[in-house]
Amino acid sequence: SNTLRPYLTAVRSTLTAALCLDNFSSEIAERHNTPEVESGKSKEVLMNPLTISRNENEKVLIEPSVNSVRVSIKVKQADDLERILCHKFARFLMMRAESFVILRRKPVEGYDISFLITNTHTEQMYKHKLVDFIVHFMEEVDKEISEMKLSVNTRARTVAESYLAQVKIFLIISSELHKFH
Amino acid sequence: MSDNWRTIDIDQYDEDAYTEDEILAEFESGISPQEADSTAQTRSTDVRNFLTKFFIYIYIYRGDLNNALLRALEDPPYGRQLAQAKQTSTQTLLEVLNLFRADDITNIISTLSIDQKDLLMKYLYAGLAKPELYNSGVVLTWHEKLVDAAGTGCIVRVMSDKRTIF
């Protein structure tokens, strides 16, 4: 609808601002280097988490810190079937998180899917492309779930028709046999 | 032989360690919750007065809507115990934002100072955090126009400023 474009623009600009990442060694443990947003031990390197919401069912949480950003997305799920499809789709992606590189294996509480982007990722990949990817992902996941819902319904209808056709034949045959008794 | 000493958090006994409380205490405005609540209420009433004048003389007194916005952007309630004042202030400001026409938004933003723009951005994010209370569509439109005017630096300042509205 007409809030989609400003929603994605807001996510894009906030992500661009949050993705200014730098290498930062852990202050807690010597010679360690952890994503500070995941560790949460040093409070002064964490920045204010920002939520961008389109409505109550769709929102994005961006938690920035000095060397990492956690982006969590809540996807629109209108009914039970979409809930199941979204859950399965997210699970499929999250099990393959290693090849995804920036995906987190578990979503943050209250959201469907989470990304963890660290300074090593911004050093290896273009920042504007990372932002493009996440915004594109948000657009595509809605389309994917609608497509999957359509195909599930089509398959269910085909299965039901062929099953019921067989039942119909069985009933006709048994009623014919009854006539001979 | 007990290893309990391994589980002690030694940093809590370090006097020089910079804790989160100390960081936030630096940015306290020093106002008590009651004072902040009453300031927020006064501001809200002032803004409502501007808005009623605006509604009555809707074609002539468009200036009152601008005054309402400027008044709503005064005296932000920074502090840790001031949750009620923060909520009242956010509500007041977002009521004003809802009444602007889409074409006027860019004009009014260009009259704000940098500090006011930063404060407005903080309130916008406070509004986006509560989609069940506020109209996200309006807030998102304002966000887009404000980023066009103030740039991503405005967002960075909101992220890194410990004096929060939300």
Side-chain angles (χ1 to χ4, degrees), chain B residues 135-146:
Chain B
N135 179 353
S136 291
V138 169
V139 182
L140 286 172
T141 320
W142 273 86
H143 185 281
E144 196 185 345
K145 300 267 162 64
L146 186 54

PDB file of all heavy atoms in Angstrom, chain B residues 135-146:
ATOM      1  N   ASN B 135      -0.064   6.769  14.423  1.00  0.00           N
ATOM      2  CA  ASN B 135      -0.226   6.458  13.010  1.00  0.00           C
ATOM      3  C   ASN B 135       1.143   6.409  12.327  1.00  0.00           C
ATOM      4  O   ASN B 135       1.761   7.451  12.110  1.00  0.00           O
ATOM      5  CB  ASN B 135      -1.103   7.542  12.373  1.00  0.00           C
ATOM      6  CG  ASN B 135      -1.310   7.311  10.897  1.00  0.00           C
ATOM      7  OD1 ASN B 135      -0.704   6.422  10.306  1.00  0.00           O
ATOM      8  ND2 ASN B 135      -2.163   8.115  10.293  1.00  0.00           N
ATOM      9  N   SER B 136       1.605   5.189  11.985  1.00  0.00           N
ATOM     10  CA  SER B 136       2.954   5.052  11.432  1.00  0.00           C
ATOM     11  C   SER B 136       3.096   5.705  10.074  1.00  0.00           C
ATOM     12  O   SER B 136       4.181   6.154   9.719  1.00  0.00           O
ATOM     13  CB  SER B 136       3.330   3.575  11.325  1.00  0.00           C
ATOM     14  OG  SER B 136       3.501   3.020  12.588  1.00  0.00           O
ATOM     15  N   GLY B 137       2.001   5.765   9.302  1.00  0.00           N
ATOM     16  CA  GLY B 137       2.109   6.327   7.969  1.00  0.00           C
ATOM     17  C   GLY B 137       2.560   7.772   7.995  1.00  0.00           C
ATOM     18  O   GLY B 137       3.481   8.184   7.272  1.00  0.00           O
ATOM     19  N   VAL B 138       1.937   8.569   8.876  1.00  0.00           N
ATOM     20  CA  VAL B 138       2.298   9.986   9.001  1.00  0.00           C
ATOM     21  C   VAL B 138       3.746  10.124   9.466  1.00  0.00           C
ATOM     22  O   VAL B 138       4.525  10.913   8.927  1.00  0.00           O
ATOM     23  CB  VAL B 138       1.344  10.673  10.008  1.00  0.00           C
ATOM     24  CG1 VAL B 138       1.832  12.046  10.363  1.00  0.00           C
ATOM     25  CG2 VAL B 138      -0.046  10.742   9.433  1.00  0.00           C
ATOM     26  N   VAL B 139       4.096   9.317  10.485  1.00  0.00           N
ATOM     27  CA  VAL B 139       5.452   9.414  11.042  1.00  0.00           C
ATOM     28  C   VAL B 139       6.488   9.071   9.981  1.00  0.00           C
ATOM     29  O   VAL B 139       7.536   9.718   9.877  1.00  0.00           O
ATOM     30  CB  VAL B 139       5.594   8.475  12.260  1.00  0.00           C
ATOM     31  CG1 VAL B 139       6.961   8.609  12.862  1.00  0.00           C
ATOM     32  CG2 VAL B 139       4.538   8.803  13.300  1.00  0.00           C
ATOM     33  N   LEU B 140       6.171   8.048   9.152  1.00  0.00           N
ATOM     34  CA  LEU B 140       7.130   7.654   8.112  1.00  0.00           C
ATOM     35  C   LEU B 140       7.290   8.759   7.071  1.00  0.00           C
ATOM     36  O   LEU B 140       8.397   8.992   6.569  1.00  0.00           O
ATOM     37  CB  LEU B 140       6.683   6.349   7.452  1.00  0.00           C
ATOM     38  CG  LEU B 140       6.872   5.092   8.308  1.00  0.00           C
ATOM     39  CD1 LEU B 140       6.216   3.901   7.640  1.00  0.00           C
ATOM     40  CD2 LEU B 140       8.339   4.806   8.519  1.00  0.00           C
ATOM     41  N   THR B 141       6.186   9.457   6.730  1.00  0.00           N
ATOM     42  CA  THR B 141       6.297  10.568   5.773  1.00  0.00           C
ATOM     43  C   THR B 141       7.217  11.648   6.332  1.00  0.00           C
ATOM     44  O   THR B 141       8.108  12.153   5.640  1.00  0.00           O
ATOM     45  CB  THR B 141       4.903  11.172   5.503  1.00  0.00           C
ATOM     46  OG1 THR B 141       3.951  10.138   5.411  1.00  0.00           O
ATOM     47  CG2 THR B 141       4.925  11.996   4.251  1.00  0.00           C
ATOM     48  N   TRP B 142       6.980  12.020   7.611  1.00  0.00           N
ATOM     49  CA  TRP B 142       7.841  13.032   8.248  1.00  0.00           C
ATOM     50  C   TRP B 142       9.295  12.578   8.279  1.00  0.00           C
ATOM     51  O   TRP B 142      10.219  13.357   8.051  1.00  0.00           O
ATOM     52  CB  TRP B 142       7.345  13.308   9.676  1.00  0.00           C
ATOM     53  CG  TRP B 142       6.295  14.348   9.726  1.00  0.00           C
ATOM     54  CD1 TRP B 142       4.957  14.161   9.557  1.00  0.00           C
ATOM     55  CD2 TRP B 142       6.463  15.744   9.970  1.00  0.00           C
ATOM     56  NE1 TRP B 142       4.295  15.347   9.676  1.00  0.00           N
ATOM     57  CE2 TRP B 142       5.202  16.355   9.925  1.00  0.00           C
ATOM     58  CE3 TRP B 142       7.578  16.548  10.215  1.00  0.00           C
ATOM     59  CZ2 TRP B 142       5.002  17.707  10.131  1.00  0.00           C
ATOM     60  CZ3 TRP B 142       7.389  17.902  10.411  1.00  0.00           C
ATOM     61  CH2 TRP B 142       6.108  18.468  10.367  1.00  0.00           C
ATOM     62  N   HIS B 143       9.498  11.278   8.562  1.00  0.00           N
ATOM     63  CA  HIS B 143      10.857  10.749   8.642  1.00  0.00           C
ATOM     64  C   HIS B 143      11.578  10.931   7.317  1.00  0.00           C
ATOM     65  O   HIS B 143      12.724  11.397   7.260  1.00  0.00           O
ATOM     66  CB  HIS B 143      10.785   9.262   9.016  1.00  0.00           C
ATOM     67  CG  HIS B 143      12.112   8.625   9.242  1.00  0.00           C
ATOM     68  ND1 HIS B 143      12.941   8.203   8.228  1.00  0.00           N
ATOM     69  CD2 HIS B 143      12.772   8.340  10.383  1.00  0.00           C
ATOM     70  CE1 HIS B 143      14.032   7.692   8.737  1.00  0.00           C
ATOM     71  NE2 HIS B 143      13.969   7.757  10.050  1.00  0.00           N
ATOM     72  N   GLU B 144      10.847  10.601   6.221  1.00  0.00           N
ATOM     73  CA  GLU B 144      11.468  10.721   4.901  1.00  0.00           C
ATOM     74  C   GLU B 144      11.883  12.160   4.614  1.00  0.00           C
ATOM     75  O   GLU B 144      13.000  12.455   4.196  1.00  0.00           O
ATOM     76  CB  GLU B 144      10.459  10.242   3.851  1.00  0.00           C
ATOM     77  CG  GLU B 144      11.056   9.950   2.511  1.00  0.00           C
ATOM     78  CD  GLU B 144       9.979   9.599   1.495  1.00  0.00           C
ATOM     79  OE1 GLU B 144       8.841   9.320   1.909  1.00  0.00           O
ATOM     80  OE2 GLU B 144      10.295   9.613   0.307  1.00  0.00           O
ATOM     81  N   LYS B 145      10.944  13.115   4.905  1.00  0.00           N
ATOM     82  CA  LYS B 145      11.227  14.517   4.601  1.00  0.00           C
ATOM     83  C   LYS B 145      12.352  15.049   5.495  1.00  0.00           C
ATOM     84  O   LYS B 145      13.187  15.858   5.072  1.00  0.00           O
ATOM     85  CB  LYS B 145       9.953  15.353   4.823  1.00  0.00           C
ATOM     86  CG  LYS B 145       8.776  14.936   3.943  1.00  0.00           C
ATOM     87  CD  LYS B 145       8.734  15.755   2.672  1.00  0.00           C
ATOM     88  CE  LYS B 145       7.886  15.140   1.580  1.00  0.00           C
ATOM     89  NZ  LYS B 145       6.459  15.036   1.916  1.00  0.00           N
ATOM     90  N   LEU B 146      12.375  14.592   6.747  1.00  0.00           N
ATOM     91  CA  LEU B 146      13.399  15.091   7.665  1.00  0.00           C
ATOM     92  C   LEU B 146      14.781  14.580   7.279  1.00  0.00           C
ATOM     93  O   LEU B 146      15.769  15.305   7.359  1.00  0.00           O
ATOM     94  CB  LEU B 146      13.050  14.660   9.100  1.00  0.00           C
ATOM     95  CG  LEU B 146      13.939  15.215  10.225  1.00  0.00           C
ATOM     96  CD1 LEU B 146      14.006  16.720  10.137  1.00  0.00           C
ATOM     97  CD2 LEU B 146      13.371  14.795  11.558  1.00  0.00           C
TER      98      LEU B 146
END
